[in-house]
PDB file of all heavy atoms in Angstrom:
ATOM      1  N   ARG A  14      -5.447 -47.536  34.824  1.00 98.00           N
ATOM      2  CA  ARG A  14      -5.326 -46.199  34.196  1.00 98.00           C
ATOM      3  C   ARG A  14      -4.730 -45.273  35.301  1.00 98.00           C
ATOM      4  O   ARG A  14      -5.425 -45.199  36.349  1.00 98.00           O
ATOM      5  CB  ARG A  14      -6.685 -45.716  33.665  1.00 98.00           C
ATOM      6  CG  ARG A  14      -6.519 -44.428  33.046  1.00 98.00           C
ATOM      7  CD  ARG A  14      -7.870 -43.807  32.650  1.00 98.00           C
ATOM      8  NE  ARG A  14      -7.816 -42.804  31.675  1.00 98.00           N
ATOM      9  CZ  ARG A  14      -8.817 -41.891  31.542  1.00 98.00           C
ATOM     10  NH1 ARG A  14      -9.739 -41.816  32.362  1.00 98.00           N
ATOM     11  NH2 ARG A  14      -8.700 -41.044  30.501  1.00 98.00           N
ATOM     12  N   LEU A  15      -3.628 -44.762  35.116  1.00 98.00           N
ATOM     13  CA  LEU A  15      -2.961 -43.883  36.060  1.00 98.00           C
ATOM     14  C   LEU A  15      -3.432 -42.450  35.515  1.00 98.00           C
ATOM     15  O   LEU A  15      -3.476 -42.187  34.501  1.00 98.00           O
ATOM     16  CB  LEU A  15      -1.456 -44.006  36.117  1.00 98.00           C
ATOM     17  CG  LEU A  15      -0.963 -45.438  36.338  1.00 98.00           C
ATOM     18  CD1 LEU A  15       0.497 -45.446  36.484  1.00 98.00           C
ATOM     19  CD2 LEU A  15      -1.586 -45.980  37.588  1.00 98.00           C
ATOM     20  N   SER A  16      -3.522 -41.485  36.642  1.00 97.00           N
ATOM     21  CA  SER A  16      -3.701 -40.187  36.389  1.00 97.00           C
ATOM     22  C   SER A  16      -2.742 -39.274  37.148  1.00 97.00           C
ATOM     23  O   SER A  16      -2.216 -39.741  38.160  1.00 97.00           O
ATOM     24  CB  SER A  16      -5.124 -39.738  36.925  1.00 97.00           C
ATOM     25  OG  SER A  16      -6.076 -40.512  36.296  1.00 97.00           O
ATOM     26  N   CYS A  17      -2.392 -38.114  36.592  1.00 95.00           N
ATOM     27  CA  CYS A  17      -1.453 -37.180  37.212  1.00 95.00           C
ATOM     28  C   CYS A  17      -1.976 -35.878  37.039  1.00 95.00           C
ATOM     29  O   CYS A  17      -2.203 -35.270  35.957  1.00 95.00           O
ATOM     30  CB  CYS A  17      -0.005 -37.273  36.562  1.00 95.00           C
ATOM     31  SG  CYS A  17       1.122 -36.044  37.064  1.00 95.00           S
ATOM     32  N   ALA A  18      -2.292 -35.231  38.232  1.00 93.00           N
ATOM     33  CA  ALA A  18      -2.769 -33.775  38.161  1.00 93.00           C
ATOM     34  C   ALA A  18      -1.488 -32.922  38.253  1.00 93.00           C
ATOM     35  O   ALA A  18      -0.731 -33.123  39.286  1.00 93.00           O
ATOM     36  CB  ALA A  18      -3.759 -33.496  39.287  1.00 93.00           C
ATOM     37  N   ALA A  19      -1.363 -32.148  37.327  1.00 87.00           N
ATOM     38  CA  ALA A  19      -0.177 -31.187  37.309  1.00 87.00           C
ATOM     39  C   ALA A  19      -0.529 -29.765  37.499  1.00 87.00           C
ATOM     40  O   ALA A  19      -1.371 -29.285  36.758  1.00 87.00           O
ATOM     41  CB  ALA A  19       0.608 -31.414  35.979  1.00 87.00           C
ATOM     42  N   SER A  20       0.110 -29.141  38.438  1.00 78.00           N
ATOM     43  CA  SER A  20      -0.148 -27.709  38.511  1.00 78.00           C
ATOM     44  C   SER A  20       1.116 -26.879  38.252  1.00 78.00           C
ATOM     45  O   SER A  20       2.031 -27.430  37.936  1.00 78.00           O
ATOM     46  CB  SER A  20      -0.484 -27.447  40.071  1.00 78.00           C
ATOM     47  OG  SER A  20       0.539 -27.701  40.933  1.00 78.00           O
ATOM     48  N   GLY A  21       0.897 -25.561  38.354  1.00 64.00           N
ATOM     49  CA  GLY A  21       2.058 -24.797  38.044  1.00 64.00           C
ATOM     50  C   GLY A  21       2.087 -24.458  36.541  1.00 64.00           C
ATOM     51  O   GLY A  21       1.171 -24.605  35.773  1.00 64.00           O
ATOM     52  N   SER A  22       3.261 -24.056  36.138  1.00 70.00           N
ATOM     53  CA  SER A  22       3.347 -23.509  34.708  1.00 70.00           C
ATOM     54  C   SER A  22       3.881 -24.617  33.713  1.00 70.00           C
ATOM     55  O   SER A  22       4.051 -24.222  32.586  1.00 70.00           O
ATOM     56  CB  SER A  22       4.301 -22.322  34.633  1.00 70.00           C
ATOM     57  OG  SER A  22       5.541 -22.702  35.181  1.00 70.00           O
ATOM     58  N   ILE A  23       4.034 -25.749  34.109  1.00 71.00           N
ATOM     59  CA  ILE A  23       4.584 -26.790  33.251  1.00 71.00           C
ATOM     60  C   ILE A  23       3.672 -27.332  32.187  1.00 71.00           C
ATOM     61  O   ILE A  23       4.098 -27.696  31.177  1.00 71.00           O
ATOM     62  CB  ILE A  23       5.297 -27.964  34.002  1.00 71.00           C
ATOM     63  CG1 ILE A  23       4.280 -28.810  34.778  1.00 71.00           C
ATOM     64  CG2 ILE A  23       6.381 -27.437  34.893  1.00 71.00           C
ATOM     65  CD1 ILE A  23       4.693 -30.005  35.403  1.00 71.00           C
ATOM     66  N   PHE A  24       2.447 -27.378  32.609  1.00 69.00           N
ATOM     67  CA  PHE A  24       1.476 -28.123  31.665  1.00 69.00           C
ATOM     68  C   PHE A  24       1.266 -27.339  30.387  1.00 69.00           C
ATOM     69  O   PHE A  24       1.026 -26.113  30.475  1.00 69.00           O
ATOM     70  CB  PHE A  24       0.123 -28.425  32.425  1.00 69.00           C
ATOM     71  CG  PHE A  24      -0.694 -29.545  31.831  1.00 69.00           C
ATOM     72  CD1 PHE A  24      -0.443 -30.780  32.242  1.00 69.00           C
ATOM     73  CD2 PHE A  24      -1.592 -29.367  30.802  1.00 69.00           C
ATOM     74  CE1 PHE A  24      -1.174 -31.829  31.756  1.00 69.00           C
ATOM     75  CE2 PHE A  24      -2.225 -30.356  30.283  1.00 69.00           C
ATOM     76  CZ  PHE A  24      -2.095 -31.639  30.629  1.00 69.00           C
ATOM     77  N   GLY A  25       1.449 -28.041  29.308  1.00 71.00           N
ATOM     78  CA  GLY A  25       1.208 -27.322  28.059  1.00 71.00           C
ATOM     79  C   GLY A  25       2.563 -26.614  27.524  1.00 71.00           C
ATOM     80  O   GLY A  25       2.564 -26.184  26.448  1.00 71.00           O
ATOM     81  N   VAL A  26       3.460 -26.612  28.376  1.00 80.00           N
ATOM     82  CA  VAL A  26       4.795 -25.928  27.986  1.00 80.00           C
ATOM     83  C   VAL A  26       5.908 -26.929  27.621  1.00 80.00           C
ATOM     84  O   VAL A  26       6.491 -26.847  26.591  1.00 80.00           O
ATOM     85  CB  VAL A  26       5.315 -25.079  29.057  1.00 80.00           C
ATOM     86  CG1 VAL A  26       6.610 -24.373  28.727  1.00 80.00           C
ATOM     87  CG2 VAL A  26       4.240 -23.951  29.436  1.00 80.00           C
ATOM     88  N   SER A  27       5.940 -28.014  28.564  1.00 86.00           N
ATOM     89  CA  SER A  27       7.035 -29.004  28.361  1.00 86.00           C
ATOM     90  C   SER A  27       6.366 -30.270  27.926  1.00 86.00           C
ATOM     91  O   SER A  27       5.162 -30.617  28.149  1.00 86.00           O
ATOM     92  CB  SER A  27       7.734 -29.131  29.680  1.00 86.00           C
ATOM     93  OG  SER A  27       8.276 -27.959  30.119  1.00 86.00           O
ATOM     94  N   PRO A  28       7.090 -31.221  27.372  1.00 92.00           N
ATOM     95  CA  PRO A  28       6.583 -32.547  27.106  1.00 92.00           C
ATOM     96  C   PRO A  28       6.376 -33.159  28.425  1.00 92.00           C
ATOM     97  O   PRO A  28       7.133 -32.809  29.417  1.00 92.00           O
ATOM     98  CB  PRO A  28       7.790 -33.186  26.319  1.00 92.00           C
ATOM     99  CG  PRO A  28       8.541 -32.110  25.735  1.00 92.00           C
ATOM    100  CD  PRO A  28       8.455 -30.961  26.692  1.00 92.00           C
ATOM    101  N   MET A  29       5.451 -34.010  28.500  1.00 93.00           N
ATOM    102  CA  MET A  29       5.106 -34.750  29.827  1.00 93.00           C
ATOM    103  C   MET A  29       5.414 -36.215  29.599  1.00 93.00           C
ATOM    104  O   MET A  29       5.236 -36.771  28.554  1.00 93.00           O
ATOM    105  CB  MET A  29       3.610 -34.450  30.194  1.00 93.00           C
ATOM    106  CG  MET A  29       3.355 -33.011  30.453  1.00 93.00           C
ATOM    107  SD  MET A  29       4.156 -32.343  31.895  1.00 93.00           S
ATOM    108  CE  MET A  29       3.553 -33.478  33.188  1.00 93.00           C
ATOM    109  N   GLY A  30       5.908 -36.817  30.727  1.00 96.00           N
ATOM    110  CA  GLY A  30       6.152 -38.163  30.617  1.00 96.00           C
ATOM    111  C   GLY A  30       5.702 -38.932  31.932  1.00 96.00           C
ATOM    112  O   GLY A  30       5.475 -38.395  32.938  1.00 96.00           O
ATOM    113  N   TRP A  31       5.662 -40.229  31.782  1.00 98.00           N
ATOM    114  CA  TRP A  31       5.565 -41.146  32.887  1.00 98.00           C
ATOM    115  C   TRP A  31       6.815 -41.924  33.107  1.00 98.00           C
ATOM    116  O   TRP A  31       7.426 -42.463  32.193  1.00 98.00           O
ATOM    117  CB  TRP A  31       4.340 -42.099  32.626  1.00 98.00           C
ATOM    118  CG  TRP A  31       3.021 -41.524  32.927  1.00 98.00           C
ATOM    119  CD1 TRP A  31       2.214 -40.936  31.943  1.00 98.00           C
ATOM    120  CD2 TRP A  31       2.393 -41.396  34.199  1.00 98.00           C
ATOM    121  NE1 TRP A  31       1.030 -40.495  32.555  1.00 98.00           N
ATOM    122  CE2 TRP A  31       1.099 -40.845  33.960  1.00 98.00           C
ATOM    123  CE3 TRP A  31       2.702 -41.878  35.379  1.00 98.00           C
ATOM    124  CZ2 TRP A  31       0.122 -40.586  34.969  1.00 98.00           C
ATOM    125  CZ3 TRP A  31       1.770 -41.603  36.467  1.00 98.00           C
ATOM    126  CH2 TRP A  31       0.527 -40.990  36.194  1.00 98.00           C
ATOM    127  N   TYR A  32       7.240 -41.947  34.403  1.00 98.00           N
ATOM    128  CA  TYR A  32       8.464 -42.579  34.716  1.00 98.00           C
ATOM    129  C   TYR A  32       8.021 -43.750  35.718  1.00 98.00           C
ATOM    130  O   TYR A  32       6.929 -43.693  36.332  1.00 98.00           O
ATOM    131  CB  TYR A  32       9.490 -41.739  35.428  1.00 98.00           C
ATOM    132  CG  TYR A  32       9.834 -40.532  34.683  1.00 98.00           C
ATOM    133  CD1 TYR A  32       8.987 -39.380  34.431  1.00 98.00           C
ATOM    134  CD2 TYR A  32      11.199 -40.432  34.086  1.00 98.00           C
ATOM    135  CE1 TYR A  32       9.406 -38.307  33.746  1.00 98.00           C
ATOM    136  CE2 TYR A  32      11.586 -39.467  33.368  1.00 98.00           C
ATOM    137  CZ  TYR A  32      10.628 -38.241  33.179  1.00 98.00           C
ATOM    138  OH  TYR A  32      11.231 -37.206  32.534  1.00 98.00           O
ATOM    139  N   ARG A  33       8.997 -44.664  35.883  1.00 98.00           N
ATOM    140  CA  ARG A  33       8.792 -45.743  36.966  1.00 98.00           C
ATOM    141  C   ARG A  33      10.100 -46.011  37.651  1.00 98.00           C
ATOM    142  O   ARG A  33      11.134 -46.042  37.043  1.00 98.00           O
ATOM    143  CB  ARG A  33       7.988 -46.892  36.309  1.00 98.00           C
ATOM    144  CG  ARG A  33       8.834 -47.763  35.432  1.00 98.00           C
ATOM    145  CD  ARG A  33       8.007 -48.871  34.924  1.00 98.00           C
ATOM    146  NE  ARG A  33       8.751 -49.693  33.840  1.00 98.00           N
ATOM    147  CZ  ARG A  33       8.138 -50.588  33.085  1.00 98.00           C
ATOM    148  NH1 ARG A  33       6.805 -50.914  33.175  1.00 98.00           N
ATOM    149  NH2 ARG A  33       8.932 -51.304  32.369  1.00 98.00           N
ATOM    150  N   SER A  34       9.868 -46.527  38.920  1.00 98.00           N
ATOM    151  CA  SER A  34      11.053 -46.873  39.707  1.00 98.00           C
ATOM    152  C   SER A  34      10.713 -48.196  40.353  1.00 98.00           C
ATOM    153  O   SER A  34       9.707 -48.286  41.122  1.00 98.00           O
ATOM    154  CB  SER A  34      11.230 -45.772  40.735  1.00 98.00           C
ATOM    155  OG  SER A  34      12.303 -46.173  41.612  1.00 98.00           O
ATOM    156  N   ALA A  35      11.335 -49.226  39.896  1.00 96.00           N
ATOM    157  CA  ALA A  35      11.213 -50.559  40.488  1.00 96.00           C
ATOM    158  C   ALA A  35      12.303 -50.881  41.506  1.00 96.00           C
ATOM    159  O   ALA A  35      13.375 -50.267  41.338  1.00 96.00           O
ATOM    160  CB  ALA A  35      11.221 -51.627  39.336  1.00 96.00           C
ATOM    161  N   PRO A  36      11.989 -51.786  42.410  1.00 89.00           N
ATOM    162  CA  PRO A  36      12.936 -52.048  43.380  1.00 89.00           C
ATOM    163  C   PRO A  36      14.328 -52.552  42.843  1.00 89.00           C
ATOM    164  O   PRO A  36      14.362 -53.378  41.931  1.00 89.00           O
ATOM    165  CB  PRO A  36      12.331 -53.181  44.179  1.00 89.00           C
ATOM    166  CG  PRO A  36      10.916 -53.067  44.054  1.00 89.00           C
ATOM    167  CD  PRO A  36      10.819 -52.537  42.595  1.00 89.00           C
ATOM    168  N   GLY A  37      15.364 -51.858  43.241  1.00 91.00           N
ATOM    169  CA  GLY A  37      16.732 -52.196  42.822  1.00 91.00           C
ATOM    170  C   GLY A  37      17.070 -51.843  41.428  1.00 91.00           C
ATOM    171  O   GLY A  37      18.133 -52.119  40.806  1.00 91.00           O
ATOM    172  N   LYS A  38      16.188 -50.938  40.850  1.00 93.00           N
ATOM    173  CA  LYS A  38      16.464 -50.431  39.474  1.00 93.00           C
ATOM    174  C   LYS A  38      16.355 -48.850  39.524  1.00 93.00           C
ATOM    175  O   LYS A  38      15.733 -48.267  40.397  1.00 93.00           O
ATOM    176  CB  LYS A  38      15.437 -51.036  38.465  1.00 93.00           C
ATOM    177  CG  LYS A  38      15.484 -52.493  38.327  1.00 93.00           C
ATOM    178  CD  LYS A  38      14.545 -52.988  37.312  1.00 93.00           C
ATOM    179  CE  LYS A  38      14.534 -54.332  37.066  1.00 93.00           C
ATOM    180  NZ  LYS A  38      13.540 -54.896  36.030  1.00 93.00           N
TER     181      LYS A  38
END
């Protein structure tokens, strides 16, 4: 289970997403 603490004014304003970056991709 991953968690992401978001600060600033974005939370609740914009859609939120999880991204991933794999080696070579």
